[in-house]
């Protein structure tokens, strides 16, 4: 395993200005790891199983929905990339938020991001249990739930390179599945394949009520579902402290986001709706299964269930990784118990990992919470997605503070955000639009109204923590370390 030199912002594991005896992560994620991590973060389970519902409510206009969301989040990622590369001592966006906005931002961002991934991880455990039961009928739900948590712990404990390797193959499986869908669909289209719902043809995109069959509100409804599919796109930011040669690899991963959105989301959806009219899709059914079934692949259901199982496992794996690193950073800053700032001999935050896995066990208990668990988890993941939007907003606010207070560093940045401050406010406007879209449906409205409870709890915790002399001392030491010479750009 190789690490960068201290002058490149490596975390060597030695005490430094960050605090006496403070431990640091190692840069062990290579270019192929970070590239596939970025792809895996941009392709959620929602594309495989949730796209049926998205198509049914928005029709062909869903193509524009995904393009707009991808376009807006690209600027969030560019802002994040510029900030991370402005100082290679930043471990994640929680670090630069604390440095640029103040200790409250680090606390709120770190714990909110942790909460997002714990909730998402719990939902993934439920999903994995459901997919396992579809593959092995009759298996008790708690068995796959417990097994998957054990697998996640085993995958993350050895080294960060092991995590990167696992995510590399998980992401590759998702890519192969989508490419297979697109290739299969194009073959059906160009051969004029006939099926009970009609003929495979690109004209199906506009021959059934036009591109906006449900009008403007149908278009809006697509946003409230599709935005959740992009949760995790910022994952490369939490991996910044463990990325080899971040000045080269982070920009590569971020710059490729528009291409990935066009191929994996827009490309797949165009093919799906060209082969089969959008009117044939409905919530709860995977368009992927329908596509492969049309092509005469009898094992389509099993294959897609395996792919979705892998996708959910990948999401849970990313969640375990993210939450453990975020708690590690919070502990170093004095915002979490000091025990979570300890690293194993392999430079892995094992105590933080154990915490995340214990919390995921609650997902196993929720498997037996009632018959309507699917609806409950739809609401919970809506809460999670709204909290992710809060994190994205903090990234942009940090960028504004960076441009205002460190104008000289911003002017000499080698990786500048296109559009600068103007695009930040454009994205803020988009976020307000999404929040309004969430008020247009009863289930998402309830989830939106429940979300502030988390921030009330967090505010109460912050009022308690901020009075701790130990917290103030550790945060001050951490900020001194971040601002010390050696990590700045140029």
């Amino acid at each position: 395993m190789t690490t960068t030199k201290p002058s490149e912002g490596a975390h060597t594991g030695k005490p430094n200005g960050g605090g006496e005896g403070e431990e640091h992560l190692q840069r062990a994620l290579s270019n192929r790891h970070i590239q596939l991590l970025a792809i895996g973060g941009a392709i959620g389970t929602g594309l495989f199983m949730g796209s049926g519902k998205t198509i049914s409510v928005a029709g062909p206009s869903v193509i524009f929905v995904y393009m707009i969301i991808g376009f807006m989040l690209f600027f969030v990622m560019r802002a994040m990339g510029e900030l991370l590369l402005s100082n290679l001592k930043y471990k994640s966006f929680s670090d630069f938020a604390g440095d640029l906005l103040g200790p409250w931002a680090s606390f709120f961002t770190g714990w909110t991001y942790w909460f997002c991934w714990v909730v998402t991880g719990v939902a993934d455990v439920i999903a994995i249990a459901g997919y396992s039961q579809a593959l092995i009928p009759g298996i008790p739900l708690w068995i796959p739930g417990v097994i998957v948590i054990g697998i996640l712990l085993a995958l993350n404990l050895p080294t960060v390179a092991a995590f990167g390797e696992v995510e590399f193959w998980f992401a590759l499986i998702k890519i192969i599945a989508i490419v297979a869908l697109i290739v299969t669909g194009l073959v059906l289209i160009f051969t004029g394949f006939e099926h009970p719902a009609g003929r495979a043809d690109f004209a199906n995109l506009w021959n059934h009520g036009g591109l906006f069959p449900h009008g403007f509100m149908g278009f809006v409804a697509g946003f409230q579902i599709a935005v959740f599919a992009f949760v995790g796109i910022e994952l490369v930011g939490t991996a910044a402290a463990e990325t080899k040669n971040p000045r080269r690899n982070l920009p590569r991963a971020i710059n490729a986001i528009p291409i990935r959105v066009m191929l994996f989301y827009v490309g797949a959806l165009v093919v799906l709706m060209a082969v089969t009219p959008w009117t044939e899709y409905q919530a709860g059914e995977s368009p992927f299964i329908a596509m492969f079934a049309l092509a005469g692949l009898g094992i389509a259901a099993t294959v897609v269930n395996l792919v979705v199982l892998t996708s959910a496992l990948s999401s849970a794996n990313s969640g375990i990784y993210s939450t453990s690193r975020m708690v590690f950073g919070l502990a170093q800053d004095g915002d979490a118990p000091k025990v979570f700032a300890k690293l194993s001999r392999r430079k892995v935050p094992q105590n933080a990992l154990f915490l995340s896995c214990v919390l995921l066990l609650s997902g196993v208990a929720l498997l037996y919470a009632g018959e309507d668990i699917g609806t409950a988890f739809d609401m919970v993941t809506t809460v999670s997605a709204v909290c992710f939007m809060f994190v994205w907003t903090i990234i942009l606010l940090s960028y504004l503070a960076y441009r205002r207070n460190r104008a000289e560093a911003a002017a000499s940045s080698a990786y500048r955000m296109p559009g600068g401050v103007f695009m930040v406010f454009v994205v803020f406007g988009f976020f307000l639009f999404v929040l309004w879209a969430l008020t247009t449906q009863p289930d998402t409205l309830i989830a939106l109204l429940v979300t502030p409870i988390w921030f009330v709890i967090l505010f109460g915790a912050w009022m308690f923590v901020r009075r701790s002399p130990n917290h103030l001392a550790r945060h001050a030491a951490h900020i001194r370390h971040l601002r010390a010479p050696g990590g700045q750009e140029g």
Side-chain angles (χ1 to χ4, degrees), residues 116-161:
C116 291
W117 274 112
V118 166
V119 172
T120 304
V122 168
D124 286 327
V125 169
I126 301 297
I128 289 166
Y131 299 141
S132 299
Q133 202 168 52
L135 291 168
I136 312 172
I139 186 174
L141 287 172
W142 67 269
I143 292 178
V146 171
I147 289 175
V148 75
I149 293 171
I151 291 173
L152 293 172
L153 190 60
L155 291 176
N156 281 271
L157 272 178
T159 62
V160 67

Side-chain angles (χ1 to χ4, degrees), residues 202-411:
F202 284 115
N204 284 328
L205 292 169
W206 54 82
N207 279 350
H208 299 269
L211 293 175
F212 295 83
H214 291 156
F216 178 70
M217 291 311 295
F219 178 61
V220 169
F223 282 92
Q224 58 180 313
I225 303 166
V227 73
F228 308 146
F230 287 86
V231 160
I233 197 171
E234 73 300 311
L235 194 59
V236 290
T238 61
E242 296 170 287
T243 303
K244 295 177 183 177
N245 199 349
R247 293 196 190 283
R248 181 190 68 187
N249 293 335
L250 282 179
R252 282 184 179 181
I254 292 171
N255 290 343
I257 287 174
I259 298 171
R260 287 165 186 152
V261 170
M262 290 300 293
L263 175 63
F264 299 126
Y265 283 102
V266 177
L269 291 170
V270 166
V271 167
L272 283 169
M273 291 183 287
V275 171
T276 305
W278 70 269
T279 51
E280 300 298 313
Y281 293 107
Q282 53 186 316
E285 293 184 4
S286 170
F288 279 66
I289 293 178
M291 173 72 75
F292 291 124
L294 275 179
L297 299 175
I299 60 169
T302 301
V303 171
V304 174
N305 268 315
L306 285 170
V307 170
V308 176
L309 183 65
T310 302
S311 180
L313 192 58
S314 170
S315 176
N317 194 40
S318 298
I320 285 287
Y321 172 85
S322 299
T323 53
S324 62
R325 269 56 180 183
M326 197 58 74
V327 170
F328 171 76
L330 288 165
Q332 282 195 319
D333 205 13
D335 290 334
K338 196 173 179 180
V339 66
F340 297 121
K342 298 290 184 183
L343 294 178
S344 69
R345 285 181 300 139
R346 296 176 180 271
K347 300 300 176 187
V348 171
Q350 62 181 21
N351 292 339
L353 271 173
F354 286 130
L355 172 68
S356 298
C357 286
V358 167
L359 290 169
L360 285 191
L361 285 172
S362 63
V364 178
L366 287 171
L367 287 168
Y368 300 93
E371 294 180 4
D372 200 25
I373 197 166
T375 302
F377 267 83
D378 282 345
M379 291 179 60
V380 168
T381 50
T382 300
V383 171
S384 176
V386 172
C387 289
F388 269 106
M389 285 179 59
F390 169 81
V391 172
W392 297 336
T393 299
I394 290 291
I395 291 172
L396 294 177
L397 289 174
S398 299
Y399 176 79
L400 290 178
Y402 169 72
R403 288 290 301 267
R404 183 177 63 251
N405 301 327
R406 299 182 186 173
E408 187 176 332

Side-chain angles (χ1 to χ4, degrees), residues 178-209:
I178 295 172
V179 171
L181 170 91
I182 292 173
V183 171
T184 302
L186 289 175
V187 170
L188 296 177
I189 292 167
F190 289 117
T191 57
F193 183 79
E194 298 278 353
H195 55 86
R199 184 172 181 269
D201 194 302
F202 284 115
N204 284 328
L205 292 169
W206 54 82
N207 279 350
H208 299 269

Side-chain angles (χ1 to χ4, degrees), residues 26 87 196 212 433 437 469:
Q26 286 188 323
N87 184 347
F212 295 83
F433 164 76

